[in-house]
Amino acid sequence: MKLLHSIVVGAVLAATVAPAFAQEQFVALPSYRVGPYASGGSGFYGGIIDYFSLVNAAGGVNGVKIAWQECETEYNPSRGVECYERLKTQRGGATLVEPLSTSIAYGILDRIPQDKIPMTMLGYGRSDAANGKVFPYVFPLISSYWSQAAAMVKYLADKNGGSLKGKKIVHLYHDSAFGKEPLPVLEALAKQQGFELVKIPVAPPGSEQQAQWLQIRQARPDHVILWGWGVMNSVAIKTAQRNGFPREKILGVWWAGSEEDTVPSGDAAKGYTAMSFNTPGNYPVLDEIRTKLYKAGKGNLSDQARIGSVYHMRGVTAGILFVEAMRTAQEKFGKGKPVTGEQMRWGLEHLNIDAARQKAVGAANMFPTVKTSCEDHEGSGAVKVQQWDGKKWNAITPNWIVGDRALVKKLIDESSNKYAAEKNLKPACMP
Amino acid sequence: MFYREAGQFRTTYEADGQLLPIRQDRIALIATLAIAALAVPFLASPYMLSAILIPFLIFALAALGLNILTGYAGQLSLGTAAFMAVGAFASWNFVARIPGIPMLLAFVLGGLCAALVGIAFGLPSLRIRGFYLAAATLATQFFVIWCLTKISWLTGGSASGVITAQRIEIMGYVFDTPQRKYVLVLLVVALMALLAKNLVRSNVGRSWMAVRDMDMAAEVIGIRPMRTKLLAFAVSSFYCGVAGALYAFAYLGTVEPEAYSLDLSFRILFMIIIGGVGSILGSFLGAAFIVLLPVFLNIAAHGLALPTSVASNLELMVFGALIIFFLIVEPHGLARLWQIGKEKLRLWPFPH
C-alpha cells in the first residue's frame, strides 16, 4: 500500500511540478533496457548518458547543461512512437532524438520534419537518409549499412590480394528489414567485382541455424558475412564451430560485434571478426568517466566492467557527436544559450570532428573523422575490422576502411529521389 | 440510488429490446460519445491524442474483433496480429495500386482481405477446438509474417520491407493532424462497436453463443456449426483487419511486418481476458488497461526519479502482479467488475 501510495504521490508531483528549464539543452532518449535487445540498449544509452554527465560535470556546453529523459520502448515500434510523442514536448521541447531502432526510426520519420527535431541513426536505419536534400532532419552519422557493406567487400578484396574474382561469399542474414538493407550494395558489387553472392536468410530471432550452416558447408564459401542481431549471433558462431567452419572466415556486421555476442559463445568465438566504427581500446575520455563519474557513484551502467565495451563506447561516441553538434550550432547562433531543434539540425549538418578535435575531447582515433554537409549526412562512411581474441576485441585494420563511395552515393541518390517522388518532396538544401 | 429504475416503464417490444434498457446507461453513453467527439479533440494535447487515445481506440477495435471470435463464438485464436497485418498491407496495396481509390473503401477492402484469410485459417476449427485450435491459428501468425517478408510484391518491392503509409485523404480532406486522425479513428471504432453490439444481440450472435456453449447441442437445435464458426472467423478478422489498417495509417505511419508480431497477438488476448471475455465494453476496458497502465507506470516511475533500468523492470513486475491480482479477484474481467458495481449501485445504500 505504501508503495502504491508513493507511486500515486510521485505521479501527481510529476504532473504538477513544471520547473523552468531555461539554460538546458534537452535531448530525447527513447531507450530500451528490458526486452530481447536490452544488452545493446543499456550499453549504448549508458554511454550517451555517461558522456553527457561528464560534460555537465565540467560545466556543460559553454555553460549550457544538457538535460535528457529516457523512455522505455522495449524495442517495440508502437511504444517507441508513444515515447517520442511524450518526450518531444518535455522541458521546453526536445532538440534531438536517437531511438536506436530501425522500426521506431521509420515510425517517427515523417513526424520529425513537422516537429523540427533532428534524429540521428548511428549505424542503422535508412541508408539513403544520408541525402540531406531529401531527409533534412535525419542523420545516419558515421556510417550507414550501405557504406559498411561496401567497406566489407573492400576489406575482403584486400585480404584476397586485391580481387574477389571467382570467390564465393555467403550473406547470412536476419530475415528482416535490417538483414535485407545491404542487399542492393552487395548485389551491385558482386556484379562489378565478379564474385558469387549466396544469400541465406535466418528467420528471427535465429536461435536455430543447423540447416543454414549445413548449406554453408556444402557451398564451401570463401567468406561468410554474418548480418545478425541479438541471439542470432552467438548461435551462428557456435553452430559454425560445430560444423567445423573456421571463425576467421566469418565477418560480422557491427551489431554482431560486441562482447554480448562473443562472450556467450565461449571458445567458439576465438578468431571471429566483425565490423566496428570504433577502435577498441582505452581512451582518456573513458578514464575520465571512470574517475569522475563512477568513483563518485554517478555512472549510468550498473556493471563497471562494461565501461569501454563495444556498445558503451558506441554510446560515448554518439554523446561526443551530439555535444559537438550543440557546440557547432552555438558557435553560429550564439554561445551560452540552448539552441532550437532547427539550429541543432544546422549543427549536425556542419559537423567537423577532425583528429585535433577528437584529441581535445580525449578520444583520439576512437572513431573516424566526421565531416557532414547537406549532400552527406553520414559524414564519414569509414569503418574498422576487429577480431575477438577470446578475451577482448582488437582492431586488425590499423587504418579506417572506406568502400566504393561512388557506388554508394549513386544508390543513395536513386533511392532517396524515389522517396521524394513518392512523398511529393522537392529535394533542396536547408539554409 | 444512482441506478434507480423506478418509473422507467417499458410498454412496447421495441422499448424492451433496445440497446441499453436503463435510461442512466443511455445518458452515460451519449454523454461519453459527445465528450469524446466534440470536447476531447479540442481539449486534449497532441500527445494525449496521438500517443494514448488513438492507439487505445485501435487496440479496442482489435480486441473487439478477437472478442467476437473468442468471447462470443468460443474459438481460441492467437493470430490476431496476423489478421491486422493482412488488413494493413492489403489497404496499403489497394491505395498504392489503384489510383484514386477512396481511403475508407481501401480500409474496408483491407478488412475483407483479412476476412478471407480468417476464413481460410478458420477451417481447422471445424474439426478441432480449444488449445489445438489456438496452435492452429498460431500458424496464421507465422505464415502471414513469413509471406510478407518473402513476397516482395506485397511490400511494393521495397528493399527493406518497411514502407511508409500513404496520407489519409477522404473526399479531399487530409487527415494529417492528431486531432483529425483521432476523429476519424473514433468514428470508425464507434460505428463498428455499435455494429458489433447489435450483431451479438441478433440471431447470428445467439448462434455464436450456442456454438460456444455446446456445439453438439447447437447442431441438434438446427444451427449449422460450419457456417456459424466461419462467419465468426470472417467477422472477427474483418474487425482485426480494419484495426490493423488504422494502426498502420493513423498511428505508426509505417507498414511493416515486425509491427504485427506474436507479441501483439498476446497483448490483444490479454486485453480481452482482463477486460472481460464475451463483452463489448470489456474490449474497451481491457484495451485501456493494457495501453494506459504501462504509460502511467512509466510516468510515475519517472516522477519518483527511479533509475531507468529499475523503472523498466518495476513496470513489468507491477504489470504482471496486477494481471494476476485481477484474474484471482475477478476472473471474468473488468467488465464483470463494472456489472457488479452497477448491481450494487442499484440497491445503494442497502446492498445485500
Side-chain angles (χ1 to χ4, degrees), chain B residues 68-281:
Chain B
I68 287 173
L69 187 68
T70 306
Y72 287 99
Q75 311 296 309
L76 266 179
S77 167
L78 287 176
T80 320
F83 298 131
M84 290 174 74
V86 173
F89 276 89
S91 301
W92 184 87
N93 274 304
F94 281 121
V95 179
R97 288 173 206 281
I98 306 173
I101 187 176
M103 205 70 190
L104 284 177
L105 180 65
F107 287 169
V108 172
L109 288 175
L112 287 177
C113 287
L116 285 178
V117 174
I119 291 175
F121 282 90
L123 286 172
S125 69
L126 307 177
R127 285 294 173 89
I128 51 178
R129 55 174 79 98
F131 284 119
Y132 302 97
L133 182 63
T137 52
L138 197 58
T140 332
Q141 180 69 45
F142 294 125
F143 180 77
V144 167
I145 303 301
W146 178 81
C147 270
L148 292 175
T149 42
K150 270 288 163 300
I151 305 171
S152 64
W153 187 83
L154 293 173
T155 51
S158 142
S160 58
V162 183
I163 39 188
T164 19
Q166 295 95 343
R167 222 163 43 153
I168 309 178
E169 198 178 326
I170 296 167
M171 306 214 300
Y173 199 71
V174 182
F175 289 82
D176 52 357
T177 62
Q179 281 90 350
R180 291 174 183 181
K181 282 182 184 169
Y182 165 78
V183 171
L184 176 73
V185 173
L186 181 73
L187 276 177
V188 173
V189 174
L191 207 69
M192 289 180 76
L194 188 70
L195 202 72
K197 182 82 186 165
N198 276 312
L199 203 61
V200 297
R201 282 157 19 106
S202 68
N203 62 340
V204 176
R206 282 198 301 276
S207 59
W208 284 342
M209 285 183 265
V211 167
R212 171 191 70 188
D213 291 340
M214 195 169 196
D215 51 356
M216 289 293 231
E219 202 174 351
V220 168
I221 60 168
I223 291 167
R224 282 187 277 172
M226 183 171 106
R227 229 187 65 173
T228 312
K229 283 181 182 177
L230 289 187
L231 185 65
F233 264 99
V235 172
S236 152
S237 309
F238 179 79
Y239 273 74
C240 292
V242 173
L246 287 176
Y247 188 53
F249 282 81
Y251 181 54
L252 282 183
T254 56
V255 191
E256 63 156 335
E258 270 156 90
Y260 302 95
S261 59
L262 182 58
D263 192 52
L264 185 64
S265 289
F266 278 121
R267 269 160 52 105
I268 293 166
L269 188 64
F270 293 154
M271 283 177 199
I272 68 163
I273 291 174
I274 288 175
V277 175
S279 150
I280 303 288
L281 176 70

Side-chain angles (χ1 to χ4, degrees), chain B residues 295-320:
Chain B
V295 175
F296 172 76
L297 284 175
N298 197 303
I299 294 174
H302 182 75
L304 289 175
L306 291 171
T308 19
S309 50
V310 177
S312 314
N313 286 308
L314 186 76
E315 191 184 312
L316 289 181
M317 288 188 305
V318 173
F319 195 64

